[in-house]
Amino acid sequence: MTVPFSVLDLASVYSGMSNAEALRQTIETAKVAEESGYRRIWVAEHHAMPAVASSAPAVLISAIAAATSTIRVGSGGVMLPNHASLVIAEQFGTLVALYGDRIDLGLGRAPGSDGLTSSVLRRGAGPDSVDDFPQQVIELLAWFGTIPPLDNGIGSRITATPGLGDSPELWLLGSSDFSARLAGLMGLPFTFAHHFAGGPNTLRAFEMYRSSFTPSVILKEPHAMVSVSALVADSTAEAERLALPNALMFLRMRQGGRPDRIPSLAEAEAHPWSTAELDWVAERNSHQAVGDLGLVTSRIDDLVTATGADEVIIAPQGPDLSSKTRTLRELGATVSLGV
């Protein structure tokens, strides 16, 4: 494989772990990713989720960028409907002013939280505000000066400082046809969230992106990235065992449980797994890259071949920092990262 590899880190908070430790581990993961030659490390915005400590991406991105020197750092993504576009332009314009051309701004239209939390974030604007997402993206492009000022004065009578002239690399993220089509129509790079929305949706999204692509001032040709969960261990059985905590967390949420921290490996192993639950975990793993190194590289290679992705972003799994960094180091040593 010669496509570039990157890292998606969710600042995972496990049972018994503090938020401070989770964030420290994210910064350590970024250092390992840089040492191993990965192109980017992204963090994702989530709210009211005890298992995810990256609720303030711009703050965490600044800490990661300060602790590294070459790797690109960005959001995967900022949930734009939660914010005024001017605020995001100023935040990421500040990051570019501080760290130069190393900053990525990946944008999503999902809230990254439950309905009540979303309403609080939007000061009661309600979930329908996601319909404003395309206009918000256009506003961001105007705030950064990537496109001419808008008729309402954005980019002319009102400017973002920092922001205007300090544009990050802009991406659209998605797990649906809508985001794929929008990214194509706007001529923006696109990332598909295969790590949680895998299956037939993946190929359909890539086809939609390319078929709707229109050249823009940002891209002349389509450019797409696919995310995939990965865990490398000595054997596939051991990798599947180490992946159980994350699987149990997703299973509990799927079954209507309240969001909580990721269970420990001991707790996950002690769970009374039913046949149906184990079948669900096996099906989920079959779309990801969980196994020994040969299986993981083969799964990623197959995904790149099927999608034609120009880049891959790895979401490393595992019950602790060492298992995640092992995955990154072994993949980095085995495949060409294209950087």
Side-chain angles (χ1 to χ4, degrees):
M1 292 177 288
T2 57
V3 300
F5 272 36
S6 297
V7 178
L8 174 64
D9 190 279
L10 300 181
S12 299
V13 188
Y14 289 84
S15 178
M17 178 187 289
S18 67
N19 292 325
E21 177 62 15
L23 295 170
R24 185 194 69 79
Q25 289 194 6
T26 291
I27 293 172
E28 289 302 312
T29 299
K31 293 177 181 178
V32 170
E34 182 172 74
E35 293 165 1
S36 302
Y38 289 76
R39 174 172 284 187
R40 318 172 192 272
I41 181 163
W42 285 1
V43 296
E45 177 184 351
H46 291 277
H47 298 280
M49 293 186 67
V52 182
S54 52
S55 56
V59 179
L60 183 52
I61 288 167
S62 187
I64 295 171
T68 55
S69 59
T70 58
I71 194 169
R72 300 191 64 86
V73 188
S75 60
V78 162
M79 302 298 108
L80 191 52
N82 293 338
H83 312 278
S85 61
L86 175 58
V87 171
I88 299 305
E90 290 173 338
Q91 288 178 356
F92 279 78
T94 299
L95 288 168
V96 171
L98 286 170
Y99 301 108
D101 186 25
R102 294 176 54 206
I103 304 300
D104 298 335
L105 173 53
L107 299 168
R109 74 183 185 106
S113 60
D114 61 89
L116 176 60
T117 305
S118 298
S119 179
V120 172
L121 283 166
R122 298 165 184 159
R123 299 181 63 83
D128 289 341
S129 60
V130 298
D131 294 336
D132 298 333
F133 181 67
Q135 179 61 32
Q136 285 184 291
V137 177
I138 292 171
E139 290 174 2
L140 269 180
L141 294 171
W143 288 126
F144 290 128
T146 306
I147 62 174
L150 303 183
D151 291 341
N152 61 5
I154 288 178
S156 57
R157 295 193 304 275
I158 317 167
T159 58
T161 306
L164 185 63
D166 299 307
S167 179
E169 188 172 296
L170 200 69
W171 290 70
L172 288 195
L173 282 59
S175 57
S176 68
D177 293 355
F178 177 93
S179 298
R181 184 185 296 109
L182 181 62
L185 291 173
M186 299 187 79
L188 294 172
F190 173 64
T191 301
F192 184 76
H194 178 81
H195 68 290
F196 71 82
N201 291 336
T202 302
L203 297 185
R204 188 161 54 242
F206 275 83
E207 291 167 1
M208 180 63 68
Y209 171 62
R210 294 192 179 98
S211 66
S212 62
F213 184 82
T214 303
S216 69
V217 295
I218 295 176
L219 282 182
K220 300 305 179 188
E221 297 179 349
H223 188 91
M225 180 159 61
V226 64
S227 66
V228 59
S229 295
L231 197 160
V232 174
D234 291 337
S235 67
T236 297
E238 176 64 6
E240 291 173 345
R241 185 181 77 89
L242 295 175
L244 284 175
N246 285 87
L248 181 57
M249 181 193 69
F250 281 115
L251 180 65
R252 286 171 170 170
M253 293 178 65
R254 181 184 175 89
Q255 294 172 338
R258 290 180 59 83
D260 200 353
R261 294 184 177 183
I262 303 172
S264 66
L265 181 57
E267 182 181 351
E269 289 185 302
H271 176 75
W273 295 92
S274 68
T275 300
E277 289 174 341
L278 290 173
D279 288 345
W280 179 83
V281 172
E283 171 66 14
R284 182 174 182 272
N285 285 343
S286 71
H287 294 293
Q288 305 302 320
V290 176
D292 60 31
L293 184 59
L295 177 61
V296 169
T297 54
S298 175
R299 286 274 177 84
I300 296 173
D301 193 34
D302 289 346
L303 184 60
V304 171
T305 300
T307 61
D310 302 290
E311 301 187 34
V312 173
I313 187 163
I314 303 294
Q317 304 295 294
D320 50 38
L321 179 62
S322 62
S323 57
K324 292 180 181 179
T325 54
R326 173 185 175 175
T327 293
L328 296 182
R329 286 193 172 102
E330 294 203 14
L331 280 176
T334 304
V335 303
S336 172
L337 297 175
V339 293

PDB file of all heavy atoms in Angstrom, residues 224-249:
ATOM      1  N   ALA A 224     -10.310  11.487  -1.495  1.00  0.00           N
ATOM      2  CA  ALA A 224     -11.112  10.887  -0.426  1.00  0.00           C
ATOM      3  C   ALA A 224     -10.263  10.038   0.497  1.00  0.00           C
ATOM      4  O   ALA A 224      -9.270   9.424   0.081  1.00  0.00           O
ATOM      5  CB  ALA A 224     -12.241  10.046  -1.025  1.00  0.00           C
ATOM      6  N   MET A 225     -10.694   9.983   1.752  1.00  0.00           N
ATOM      7  CA  MET A 225     -10.023   9.189   2.787  1.00  0.00           C
ATOM      8  C   MET A 225     -11.060   8.292   3.450  1.00  0.00           C
ATOM      9  O   MET A 225     -12.230   8.666   3.585  1.00  0.00           O
ATOM     10  CB  MET A 225      -9.366  10.114   3.809  1.00  0.00           C
ATOM     11  CG  MET A 225      -8.637   9.412   4.948  1.00  0.00           C
ATOM     12  SD  MET A 225      -7.397  10.470   5.752  1.00  0.00           S
ATOM     13  CE  MET A 225      -8.398  11.830   6.374  1.00  0.00           C
ATOM     14  N   VAL A 226     -10.640   7.105   3.869  1.00  0.00           N
ATOM     15  CA  VAL A 226     -11.529   6.181   4.559  1.00  0.00           C
ATOM     16  C   VAL A 226     -10.956   5.888   5.938  1.00  0.00           C
ATOM     17  O   VAL A 226      -9.739   5.733   6.096  1.00  0.00           O
ATOM     18  CB  VAL A 226     -11.723   4.874   3.750  1.00  0.00           C
ATOM     19  CG1 VAL A 226     -10.420   4.091   3.606  1.00  0.00           C
ATOM     20  CG2 VAL A 226     -12.818   4.008   4.364  1.00  0.00           C
ATOM     21  N   SER A 227     -11.821   5.854   6.944  1.00  0.00           N
ATOM     22  CA  SER A 227     -11.381   5.517   8.303  1.00  0.00           C
ATOM     23  C   SER A 227     -11.673   4.052   8.582  1.00  0.00           C
ATOM     24  O   SER A 227     -12.650   3.490   8.079  1.00  0.00           O
ATOM     25  CB  SER A 227     -12.103   6.385   9.335  1.00  0.00           C
ATOM     26  OG  SER A 227     -13.492   6.088   9.348  1.00  0.00           O
ATOM     27  N   VAL A 228     -10.823   3.436   9.383  1.00  0.00           N
ATOM     28  CA  VAL A 228     -11.016   2.028   9.733  1.00  0.00           C
ATOM     29  C   VAL A 228     -10.451   1.783  11.131  1.00  0.00           C
ATOM     30  O   VAL A 228      -9.386   2.307  11.483  1.00  0.00           O
ATOM     31  CB  VAL A 228     -10.335   1.097   8.700  1.00  0.00           C
ATOM     32  CG1 VAL A 228      -8.846   1.361   8.592  1.00  0.00           C
ATOM     33  CG2 VAL A 228     -10.608  -0.375   9.011  1.00  0.00           C
ATOM     34  N   SER A 229     -11.177   1.017  11.930  1.00  0.00           N
ATOM     35  CA  SER A 229     -10.667   0.615  13.246  1.00  0.00           C
ATOM     36  C   SER A 229      -9.633  -0.481  13.045  1.00  0.00           C
ATOM     37  O   SER A 229      -9.826  -1.385  12.220  1.00  0.00           O
ATOM     38  CB  SER A 229     -11.803   0.096  14.123  1.00  0.00           C
ATOM     39  OG  SER A 229     -12.716   1.117  14.415  1.00  0.00           O
ATOM     40  N   ALA A 230      -8.542  -0.418  13.799  1.00  0.00           N
ATOM     41  CA  ALA A 230      -7.477  -1.410  13.634  1.00  0.00           C
ATOM     42  C   ALA A 230      -6.916  -1.804  14.996  1.00  0.00           C
ATOM     43  O   ALA A 230      -6.799  -0.964  15.899  1.00  0.00           O
ATOM     44  CB  ALA A 230      -6.361  -0.863  12.747  1.00  0.00           C
ATOM     45  N   LEU A 231      -6.584  -3.068  15.116  1.00  0.00           N
ATOM     46  CA  LEU A 231      -5.935  -3.582  16.315  1.00  0.00           C
ATOM     47  C   LEU A 231      -5.053  -4.760  15.908  1.00  0.00           C
ATOM     48  O   LEU A 231      -5.536  -5.761  15.393  1.00  0.00           O
ATOM     49  CB  LEU A 231      -6.963  -4.029  17.362  1.00  0.00           C
ATOM     50  CG  LEU A 231      -6.462  -4.199  18.800  1.00  0.00           C
ATOM     51  CD1 LEU A 231      -7.624  -4.153  19.786  1.00  0.00           C
ATOM     52  CD2 LEU A 231      -5.688  -5.507  18.989  1.00  0.00           C
ATOM     53  N   VAL A 232      -3.753  -4.603  16.121  1.00  0.00           N
ATOM     54  CA  VAL A 232      -2.781  -5.644  15.800  1.00  0.00           C
ATOM     55  C   VAL A 232      -2.359  -6.362  17.077  1.00  0.00           C
ATOM     56  O   VAL A 232      -2.014  -5.722  18.070  1.00  0.00           O
ATOM     57  CB  VAL A 232      -1.537  -5.051  15.109  1.00  0.00           C
ATOM     58  CG1 VAL A 232      -0.465  -6.123  14.917  1.00  0.00           C
ATOM     59  CG2 VAL A 232      -1.906  -4.433  13.768  1.00  0.00           C
ATOM     60  N   ALA A 233      -2.399  -7.688  17.044  1.00  0.00           N
ATOM     61  CA  ALA A 233      -1.929  -8.499  18.174  1.00  0.00           C
ATOM     62  C   ALA A 233      -1.193  -9.720  17.614  1.00  0.00           C
ATOM     63  O   ALA A 233      -1.086  -9.895  16.395  1.00  0.00           O
ATOM     64  CB  ALA A 233      -3.092  -8.922  19.060  1.00  0.00           C
ATOM     65  N   ASP A 234      -0.696 -10.567  18.520  1.00  0.00           N
ATOM     66  CA  ASP A 234       0.071 -11.735  18.083  1.00  0.00           C
ATOM     67  C   ASP A 234      -0.784 -12.709  17.287  1.00  0.00           C
ATOM     68  O   ASP A 234      -0.279 -13.438  16.435  1.00  0.00           O
ATOM     69  CB  ASP A 234       0.679 -12.460  19.293  1.00  0.00           C
ATOM     70  CG  ASP A 234       1.774 -11.640  19.962  1.00  0.00           C
ATOM     71  OD1 ASP A 234       2.353 -10.763  19.290  1.00  0.00           O
ATOM     72  OD2 ASP A 234       2.034 -11.873  21.162  1.00  0.00           O
ATOM     73  N   SER A 235      -2.062 -12.761  17.567  1.00  0.00           N
ATOM     74  CA  SER A 235      -2.977 -13.650  16.862  1.00  0.00           C
ATOM     75  C   SER A 235      -4.310 -12.947  16.699  1.00  0.00           C
ATOM     76  O   SER A 235      -4.619 -11.980  17.415  1.00  0.00           O
ATOM     77  CB  SER A 235      -3.171 -14.955  17.634  1.00  0.00           C
ATOM     78  OG  SER A 235      -3.851 -14.713  18.855  1.00  0.00           O
ATOM     79  N   THR A 236      -5.117 -13.434  15.785  1.00  0.00           N
ATOM     80  CA  THR A 236      -6.439 -12.858  15.597  1.00  0.00           C
ATOM     81  C   THR A 236      -7.297 -13.055  16.838  1.00  0.00           C
ATOM     82  O   THR A 236      -8.047 -12.153  17.240  1.00  0.00           O
ATOM     83  CB  THR A 236      -7.116 -13.482  14.366  1.00  0.00           C
ATOM     84  OG1 THR A 236      -6.350 -13.148  13.203  1.00  0.00           O
ATOM     85  CG2 THR A 236      -8.535 -12.969  14.197  1.00  0.00           C
ATOM     86  N   ALA A 237      -7.174 -14.206  17.479  1.00  0.00           N
ATOM     87  CA  ALA A 237      -7.956 -14.464  18.694  1.00  0.00           C
ATOM     88  C   ALA A 237      -7.596 -13.464  19.787  1.00  0.00           C
ATOM     89  O   ALA A 237      -8.472 -12.944  20.493  1.00  0.00           O
ATOM     90  CB  ALA A 237      -7.728 -15.894  19.177  1.00  0.00           C
ATOM     91  N   GLU A 238      -6.301 -13.157  19.936  1.00  0.00           N
ATOM     92  CA  GLU A 238      -5.872 -12.196  20.950  1.00  0.00           C
ATOM     93  C   GLU A 238      -6.353 -10.791  20.588  1.00  0.00           C
ATOM     94  O   GLU A 238      -6.776 -10.029  21.464  1.00  0.00           O
ATOM     95  CB  GLU A 238      -4.356 -12.222  21.090  1.00  0.00           C
ATOM     96  CG  GLU A 238      -3.765 -11.191  22.051  1.00  0.00           C
ATOM     97  CD  GLU A 238      -4.198 -11.381  23.501  1.00  0.00           C
ATOM     98  OE1 GLU A 238      -4.875 -12.386  23.828  1.00  0.00           O
ATOM     99  OE2 GLU A 238      -3.835 -10.523  24.333  1.00  0.00           O
ATOM    100  N   ALA A 239      -6.312 -10.439  19.321  1.00  0.00           N
ATOM    101  CA  ALA A 239      -6.788  -9.123  18.899  1.00  0.00           C
ATOM    102  C   ALA A 239      -8.279  -8.981  19.179  1.00  0.00           C
ATOM    103  O   ALA A 239      -8.738  -7.941  19.672  1.00  0.00           O
ATOM    104  CB  ALA A 239      -6.505  -8.914  17.412  1.00  0.00           C
ATOM    105  N   GLU A 240      -9.035 -10.016  18.895  1.00  0.00           N
ATOM    106  CA  GLU A 240     -10.478  -9.976  19.154  1.00  0.00           C
ATOM    107  C   GLU A 240     -10.759  -9.857  20.647  1.00  0.00           C
ATOM    108  O   GLU A 240     -11.708  -9.186  21.063  1.00  0.00           O
ATOM    109  CB  GLU A 240     -11.145 -11.219  18.570  1.00  0.00           C
ATOM    110  CG  GLU A 240     -11.145 -11.216  17.037  1.00  0.00           C
ATOM    111  CD  GLU A 240     -11.647 -12.520  16.446  1.00  0.00           C
ATOM    112  OE1 GLU A 240     -11.721 -13.530  17.206  1.00  0.00           O
ATOM    113  OE2 GLU A 240     -11.948 -12.554  15.247  1.00  0.00           O
ATOM    114  N   ARG A 241      -9.929 -10.491  21.461  1.00  0.00           N
ATOM    115  CA  ARG A 241     -10.087 -10.373  22.920  1.00  0.00           C
ATOM    116  C   ARG A 241      -9.813  -8.941  23.362  1.00  0.00           C
ATOM    117  O   ARG A 241     -10.576  -8.367  24.155  1.00  0.00           O
ATOM    118  CB  ARG A 241      -9.125 -11.344  23.620  1.00  0.00           C
ATOM    119  CG  ARG A 241      -9.296 -11.391  25.145  1.00  0.00           C
ATOM    120  CD  ARG A 241      -8.304 -12.358  25.773  1.00  0.00           C
ATOM    121  NE  ARG A 241      -6.962 -11.795  25.858  1.00  0.00           N
ATOM    122  CZ  ARG A 241      -6.500 -11.081  26.892  1.00  0.00           C
ATOM    123  NH1 ARG A 241      -7.288 -10.834  27.938  1.00  0.00           N
ATOM    124  NH2 ARG A 241      -5.271 -10.616  26.899  1.00  0.00           N
ATOM    125  N   LEU A 242      -8.750  -8.336  22.846  1.00  0.00           N
ATOM    126  CA  LEU A 242      -8.393  -6.974  23.238  1.00  0.00           C
ATOM    127  C   LEU A 242      -9.410  -5.952  22.731  1.00  0.00           C
ATOM    128  O   LEU A 242      -9.513  -4.840  23.284  1.00  0.00           O
ATOM    129  CB  LEU A 242      -7.000  -6.629  22.710  1.00  0.00           C
ATOM    130  CG  LEU A 242      -5.834  -7.433  23.298  1.00  0.00           C
ATOM    131  CD1 LEU A 242      -4.531  -7.066  22.608  1.00  0.00           C
ATOM    132  CD2 LEU A 242      -5.721  -7.209  24.803  1.00  0.00           C
ATOM    133  N   ALA A 243     -10.155  -6.313  21.702  1.00  0.00           N
ATOM    134  CA  ALA A 243     -11.161  -5.405  21.154  1.00  0.00           C
ATOM    135  C   ALA A 243     -12.490  -5.474  21.897  1.00  0.00           C
ATOM    136  O   ALA A 243     -13.400  -4.682  21.625  1.00  0.00           O
ATOM    137  CB  ALA A 243     -11.386  -5.711  19.671  1.00  0.00           C
ATOM    138  N   LEU A 244     -12.615  -6.392  22.839  1.00  0.00           N
ATOM    139  CA  LEU A 244     -13.891  -6.579  23.531  1.00  0.00           C
ATOM    140  C   LEU A 244     -14.385  -5.348  24.299  1.00  0.00           C
ATOM    141  O   LEU A 244     -15.594  -5.072  24.295  1.00  0.00           O
ATOM    142  CB  LEU A 244     -13.800  -7.774  24.486  1.00  0.00           C
ATOM    143  CG  LEU A 244     -13.850  -9.163  23.844  1.00  0.00           C
ATOM    144  CD1 LEU A 244     -13.624 -10.244  24.897  1.00  0.00           C
ATOM    145  CD2 LEU A 244     -15.193  -9.376  23.126  1.00  0.00           C
ATOM    146  N   PRO A 245     -13.517  -4.584  24.985  1.00  0.00           N
ATOM    147  CA  PRO A 245     -14.043  -3.421  25.727  1.00  0.00           C
ATOM    148  C   PRO A 245     -14.778  -2.423  24.836  1.00  0.00           C
ATOM    149  O   PRO A 245     -15.878  -1.965  25.176  1.00  0.00           O
ATOM    150  CB  PRO A 245     -12.789  -2.816  26.359  1.00  0.00           C
ATOM    151  CG  PRO A 245     -11.864  -3.985  26.526  1.00  0.00           C
ATOM    152  CD  PRO A 245     -12.082  -4.823  25.308  1.00  0.00           C
ATOM    153  N   ASN A 246     -14.190  -2.069  23.695  1.00  0.00           N
ATOM    154  CA  ASN A 246     -14.860  -1.143  22.794  1.00  0.00           C
ATOM    155  C   ASN A 246     -16.152  -1.744  22.244  1.00  0.00           C
ATOM    156  O   ASN A 246     -17.174  -1.059  22.115  1.00  0.00           O
ATOM    157  CB  ASN A 246     -13.931  -0.757  21.645  1.00  0.00           C
ATOM    158  CG  ASN A 246     -12.857   0.219  22.067  1.00  0.00           C
ATOM    159  OD1 ASN A 246     -11.795  -0.201  22.529  1.00  0.00           O
ATOM    160  ND2 ASN A 246     -13.099   1.505  21.930  1.00  0.00           N
ATOM    161  N   ALA A 247     -16.093  -3.037  21.931  1.00  0.00           N
ATOM    162  CA  ALA A 247     -17.289  -3.701  21.414  1.00  0.00           C
ATOM    163  C   ALA A 247     -18.414  -3.684  22.444  1.00  0.00           C
ATOM    164  O   ALA A 247     -19.584  -3.439  22.110  1.00  0.00           O
ATOM    165  CB  ALA A 247     -16.954  -5.137  21.013  1.00  0.00           C
ATOM    166  N   LEU A 248     -18.073  -3.917  23.717  1.00  0.00           N
ATOM    167  CA  LEU A 248     -19.091  -3.924  24.767  1.00  0.00           C
ATOM    168  C   LEU A 248     -19.694  -2.541  24.961  1.00  0.00           C
ATOM    169  O   LEU A 248     -20.903  -2.400  25.163  1.00  0.00           O
ATOM    170  CB  LEU A 248     -18.487  -4.437  26.075  1.00  0.00           C
ATOM    171  CG  LEU A 248     -19.442  -4.532  27.268  1.00  0.00           C
ATOM    172  CD1 LEU A 248     -20.652  -5.411  26.949  1.00  0.00           C
ATOM    173  CD2 LEU A 248     -18.703  -5.081  28.503  1.00  0.00           C
ATOM    174  N   MET A 249     -18.875  -1.498  24.871  1.00  0.00           N
ATOM    175  CA  MET A 249     -19.403  -0.152  25.000  1.00  0.00           C
ATOM    176  C   MET A 249     -20.413   0.142  23.889  1.00  0.00           C
ATOM    177  O   MET A 249     -21.518   0.639  24.139  1.00  0.00           O
ATOM    178  CB  MET A 249     -18.274   0.878  24.954  1.00  0.00           C
ATOM    179  CG  MET A 249     -18.764   2.318  25.108  1.00  0.00           C
ATOM    180  SD  MET A 249     -17.506   3.556  24.693  1.00  0.00           S
ATOM    181  CE  MET A 249     -17.366   3.328  22.916  1.00  0.00           C
TER     182      MET A 249
END
